[in-house]
Amino acid sequence: MPQTRLDIARIRAAQQVIDPIFRNTPLYRCEALEPHLGCAVSIKLETANPVRSFKGRGSELVASQLADTGSRALVCASAGNLGQALGWSGRGRGLDVTVVASRFAPAVKLDRIRAMGAQLELVDGDHEVARERAAAIARYDGIRLVEDSLDIETCEGAATIGLELVDTVPSFDTVLIALGGGAMATGVGHVVKALAPGTEVICVQPLGAPAMTHSWHQRRVVSTDSTNTIADGVAGRHPIPAVLDDLLLVADDAVLVQEKSIVAGIRLLLDHAGLVVEPSAALGIAAILEDPDRFAGRHIVTIVCGSNVDMDAYHRWVGTSR
Amino acid sequence: MPQTRLDIARIRAAQQVIDPIFRNTPLYRCEALEPHLGCAVSIKLETANPVRSFKGRGSELVASQLADTGSRALVCASAGNLGQALGWSGRGRGLDVTVVASRFAPAVKLDRIRAMGAQLELVDGDHEVARERAAAIARYDGIRLVEDSLDIETCEGAATIGLELVDTVPSFDTVLIALGGGAMATGVGHVVKALAPGTEVICVQPLGAPAMTHSWHQRRVVSTDSTNTIADGVAGRHPIPAVLDDLLLVADDAVLVQEKSIVAGIRLLLDHAGLVVEPSAALGIAAILEDPDRFAGRHIVTIVCGSNVDMDAYHRWVGTSR
């Protein structure tokens, strides 16, 4: 059992708290992809829910615990998906949700955050600037700051995906997980290493936003000055030390992929799986495309973690125009 | 309880026979669609499984019952989705599956039928010609003929969708169901009328393939000479009398929609729900677009029944080219 901050008993208990609409998501073999990838591929689909990403699992934990304490307000920084999810979970419980986001986040994500009834504040910088601003708001207003990947609920919410993966028979050889702040990677990784230790856990990050991957390889926090990737959902620059510590215990590897491979993954998922995905959700397929020999003949599962994508950009990526 | 050929106890029992990969599919409110439709809309998503349509529910029943009898072979006519599903279900049970399809069926559906290991025979005519040929093969070879919508397993398999719908709280005002041969409409309709009789059941068919809808309105079988629709999955010409009898007992209405509304529905589902669908799966959205006053303020659920679509045609429909 890896000695991370996460706890299997709490993760099992979390399943009872999270709205069923986010749980027991589709998990299925996608044979039409396989001739293009050279391995068996299963999809864990986290997009068929009201917020179109896996973040509802964590937001449900956060919001239900806050509501239980009698608190009524929270603030978070979000690349777009956590904000939608906290908006959804908070609205159902009468919470005041404030989301701080980069004004460069996809407009569709910002629109959906507003539509959920959350207060949206935009900052001129990137996600790291939004994090600083959210922390300042929390201090000033004396309300709960939700920090993605640092707050254990965000990791243990995502970890419930892991419980759904390890129940599968036969087990997978490898799980490919998009790596950003690390909530999904440490969450799913913890469960897999605890309950299916023979399954390999590989994190995938864009070459254009490599901070956590560099940190994992060097076993110390490595920040970057900027990011340059279409995968907005995983574009952080400052890894959180406690999250890195956990990731070091549960990941077997962390790899970086090129932008063109992410785009190729987006296209493959559209053409052969009929799935619309945001770039972060194509990182696993991109990793297979870049190193097919590594995965040849194995059974891979990749988590399709979100589908909140700007449609104009999407059409450019899939080679179409309108 | 409507006096159709279907039986609630058998449908409940069917849930135990159908592979879980086809059951408990996502069902969620899709608020981003609602400003465009003027009503509350929930999606029942039947595409996130190995055959990308709801047909696996019925094929599992057919194949398991056949395997139980010791028979080893079956033949069916298919517009493309039933053939894939029977291929999948038959392969897992060691059955020989022969599928007869129109050579005008989407190539992607025909390719997937072959990929499932089924024997594919193409006929020069449309789906009705394929039905005749499948019947001839069954007589000649003495093997089981699976007739979509006539064989009760195909209806009761689809009916398990209905069980998943009526469990929802609060209940829906209206369920919109694509109408082709009638398996899904009679199946889901039977369960809804039996267990949630206050919910309206509306069937939707293309104006270019209106035989069953005309039959429902005239309360007698009305055939057509031809079909002209992009919704290949529902393009029949000769309604089956026993299926019409059932449909008369469970449908509150049957409406026809124009091709341009189907295309608009496909685009809405892509742009605002992130869903790739085949034309048949957009019929419900098309019905709302054509008569928004009828649905205003109501809570509608529509079954997104399949996503096996020719991608070149799809890009034409969504206004893109490549």
Side-chain angles (χ1 to χ4, degrees), chain B residues 226-304:
Chain B
S226 62
T227 63
N228 184 15
T229 178
I230 60 170
D232 55 282
V234 293
R237 294 187 288 115
H238 298 311
I240 300 170
V243 183
L244 173 60
D245 289 345
D246 289 345
L247 196 66
L248 285 167
L249 294 168
V250 300
D252 293 299
D253 201 358
V255 301
L256 297 172
V257 293
Q258 302 176 61
E259 295 295 294
K260 69 179 181 188
S261 305
I262 301 172
V263 171
I266 291 171
R267 293 181 69 139
L268 273 180
L269 286 165
L270 174 65
D271 288 346
H272 302 289
L275 296 176
V276 174
V277 304
E278 59 181 278
S280 310
L283 287 168
I285 300 297
I288 303 172
L289 286 170
E290 288 205 1
D291 196 358
D293 290 347
R294 177 175 188 166
F295 301 104
R298 298 173 72 82
H299 190 169
I300 312 300
V301 60
T302 183
I303 303 166
V304 172

Side-chain angles (χ1 to χ4, degrees), chain B residues 24 166 197 201 207 260 301 307:
Chain B
N24 297 314
V166 298
V201 172
L207 264 169
K260 69 179 181 188
V301 60
S307 68

